[in-house]
Amino acid sequence: KPDEGDESNGHKGSSPDSVDNNDRKIEKEREQKEKEELDDDKIREYGQTTLVNEKRKSKIHLLSIIGEIEGHECLPQHNKTTKYEHVLPQLAAIEDSEDIDGLLILINTVGGDVEAGLAIAEMIASLSKPTVSLVLGGSHPLAVSSDYSYVVPTATMIIHPVRMNGTIIGVSQTFEYFEKIQDRILSFIVNHSKIDRETLKGLMLNTSQLAKDVGSILVGKEAVEKGIIDEVGGIKEALNKLYELSGRS
């Protein structure tokens, strides 16, 4: 005759240890499912995820900078954007986390708000964790903010003067303001890459390449030859470099 206690608990013929193990297994599966759903939402909403390599026992945070960098004003809903108010807190969390070994930045952007872009770039440059950037399409000064940078062979870097939308007052102070903004961008790139200031400024003010604009287009290897990007490569090279910098190679 079965024990009445077993029947009342709904686990006829099962030992207490077996029941506890099953409950723990169900709870673990539920937690894993919730974690996967959160990770999927994070990728969908922010273009971010954590790459876990069990063999190397490493965790690399993946940050993608895509579309237009959105600053203090909201862009139209049909625009692909990277919102700096999402990126800055995440960078602070990466710096503070003991679990994250490094940061991989994927870049394919058309530019955007200067202040927001520079804020993200300065945050990345000030991280103590190893950082590697990979330019996949359009580029940005963000590409040089990392410890090491890669560019795929077909990616482009368009170097041009600062542009402004909206009302512009036709006075000398406006031009001086433009000059100060450009000087900040030039200084950041020069301080975080191998290109010298005069060469970079010459590329920015070039009038022979673009039919309706001023500036230069550098494709893949050209960006490396000019000293802006460190090396031509892809995701394999970028991850291996990050493992090397983080001591997980």
Side-chain angles (χ1 to χ4, degrees):
K1 182 178 179 180
D3 185 78
E4 291 179 359
D6 290 339
E7 289 182 357
S8 63
N9 291 330
H11 297 288
K12 187 175 179 180
S14 299
S15 68
D17 289 342
S18 176
V19 172
D20 289 342
N21 287 337
N22 286 336
D23 289 343
R24 281 196 292 268
K25 184 178 180 183
I26 292 170
E27 180 66 18
K28 189 174 181 180
E29 288 175 352
R30 185 181 64 80
E31 290 177 355
Q32 181 64 27
K33 186 176 180 181
E34 288 178 354
K35 182 181 180 300
E36 289 174 357
E37 288 175 353
L38 286 172
D39 289 343
D40 289 342
D41 289 341
K42 198 173 180 182
I43 295 172
R44 192 181 305 112
E45 293 294 326
Y46 308 121
Q48 301 182 35
T49 188
T50 301
L51 307 176
V52 180
N53 189 310
E54 297 292 349
K55 184 179 178 181
R56 298 177 189 270
K57 302 199 179 298
S58 71
K59 287 186 178 180
I60 302 298
H61 189 87
L62 175 67
L63 169 67
S64 58
I65 307 292
I66 54 102
E68 191 168 350
I69 297 173
E70 188 176 272
H72 303 297
E73 295 183 5
C74 292
L75 294 168
Q77 287 188 347
H78 61 266
N79 286 30
K80 286 281 188 182
T81 62
T82 295
K83 300 178 185 295
Y84 88 115
E85 68 268 26
H86 293 165
V87 176
L88 296 183
Q90 190 61 53
L91 292 173
I94 291 168
E95 175 64 22
D96 191 54
S97 173
E98 294 182 359
D99 295 328
I100 302 299
D101 297 308
L103 174 65
L104 174 62
I105 310 123
L106 303 182
I107 301 173
N108 187 1
T109 176
V110 294
D113 187 283
V114 173
E115 299 291 343
L118 277 177
I120 296 172
E122 290 285 10
M123 279 283 283
I124 293 171
S126 66
L127 290 174
S128 63
K129 303 287 177 74
T131 56
V132 171
S133 63
L134 174 59
V135 180
L136 298 169
S139 188
H140 186 275
L142 279 164
V144 304
S145 63
S146 59
D147 298 326
Y148 203 84
S149 56
Y150 287 92
V151 59
V152 297
T154 57
T156 58
M157 299 193 74
I158 302 177
I159 303 169
H160 59 77
V162 173
R163 302 183 179 108
M164 181 176 286
N165 297 324
T167 303
I168 298 176
I169 302 173
V171 294
S172 61
Q173 289 92 327
T174 301
F175 178 74
E176 290 169 4
Y177 176 65
F178 269 48
E179 283 277 271
K180 286 181 180 179
I181 294 175
Q182 285 190 178
D183 186 64
R184 290 164 60 199
I185 296 170
L186 288 170
S187 295
F188 184 86
I189 296 173
V190 169
N191 290 336
H192 293 86
S193 68
K194 300 170 186 172
I195 193 170
D196 63 84
R197 193 180 192 86
E198 289 307 311
T199 301
L200 181 59
K201 195 167 184 178
L203 291 170
M204 180 181 285
L205 302 177
N206 184 15
T207 59
S208 63
Q209 278 199 27
L210 305 175
K212 296 182 180 180
D213 204 345
V214 177
S216 303
I217 300 176
L218 304 178
V219 180
K221 189 178 179 181
E222 293 175 317
V224 177
E225 292 171 348
K226 294 293 183 181
I228 300 176
I229 300 296
D230 291 311
E231 193 176 335
V232 175
I235 187 68
K236 176 180 67 177
E237 288 81 8
L239 277 173
N240 285 337
K241 188 67 177 180
L242 204 44
Y243 292 140
E244 177 190 325
L245 293 174
S246 61
R248 302 287 184 176
S249 57

